[in-house]
Amino acid sequence: MSSVPFHYVDLRTFCYATEDEKRVEEALRTFLPEDWELERTESEGHYGDRIVVLSARIENADDVRHVLSQVATLDDIDDVRAELDDRVDDNCSFFLTFDKQAAFGGEVRRGDGITLRAKVEAYPAKREKAVANARELLDEL
């Protein structure tokens, strides 16, 4: 994986009032390079409950490679390749979600809880070109 066809990768998860924030942070760190600084934003739910949004934007190519190396450990990476047409939007963004509970245990598995959004390089910026670039990258994983 010499070049990385992503401008950046955003990772985000929510920590609800019933969850331990340190554990949720640890789950998100499963995907991040060591000592990565997280952005923390507090919000409020519909009934006034606390919601903390933890996020990270990875822009450096080496750090993006680290995130992608974690994604590559998915058991069903072939399914992700097959679903690429549905996972890249018209803005050339690639979306994938991961199981937050599994990530807390250090396992990378698709599910709900952690969202990955990667801006795919595409010149010209067309969805079809972005899908082709993402497919080429996933074939290298």
Side-chain angles (χ1 to χ4, degrees):
M1 180 176 11
S2 56
S3 68
V4 179
F6 291 152
H7 292 291
Y8 57 83
V9 173
D10 287 330
L11 288 162
R12 182 178 69 184
T13 190
F14 297 99
C15 177
Y16 299 100
T18 58
E19 296 176 309
D20 181 340
E21 188 174 336
K22 293 291 182 197
R23 288 178 169 216
V24 173
E25 180 179 328
E26 190 175 326
L28 187 58
R29 289 194 180 282
T30 297
F31 299 91
L32 297 170
E34 197 169 315
D35 298 326
W36 191 267
E37 181 127 359
L38 292 177
E39 184 176 319
R40 182 183 185 279
T41 307
E42 285 198 36
S43 187
E44 190 175 291
H46 183 71
Y47 295 105
D49 50 325
R50 176 191 63 95
I51 299 173
V52 176
V53 181
L54 299 173
S55 60
R57 174 166 283 197
I58 299 90
E59 294 175 304
N60 177 289
D62 288 337
D63 295 333
V64 170
R65 282 187 195 92
H66 176 84
V67 173
L68 294 175
S69 70
Q70 295 301 102
V71 173
T73 64
L74 279 170
D75 289 338
D76 59 350
I77 193 73
D78 292 331
D79 293 340
V80 174
R81 287 184 191 101
E83 299 166 356
L84 264 177
D85 286 331
D86 297 327
R87 297 197 167 278
V88 177
D89 68 9
D90 291 336
N91 293 321
C92 302
S93 292
F94 168 72
F95 292 91
L96 197 56
T97 58
F98 301 98
D99 185 315
K100 185 171 29 174
Q101 187 67 38
F104 174 69
E107 182 183 346
V108 177
R109 186 171 61 212
R110 291 200 301 165
D112 293 325
I114 299 175
T115 302
L116 176 144
R117 180 176 76 100
K119 184 69 168 185
V120 183
E121 289 180 359
Y123 303 103
K126 301 286 185 194
R127 184 179 167 283
E128 296 76 22
K129 181 68 175 163
V131 169
N133 287 347
R135 187 174 313 284
E136 184 178 315
L137 173 71
L138 290 176
D139 287 344
E140 292 179 21
L141 294 180

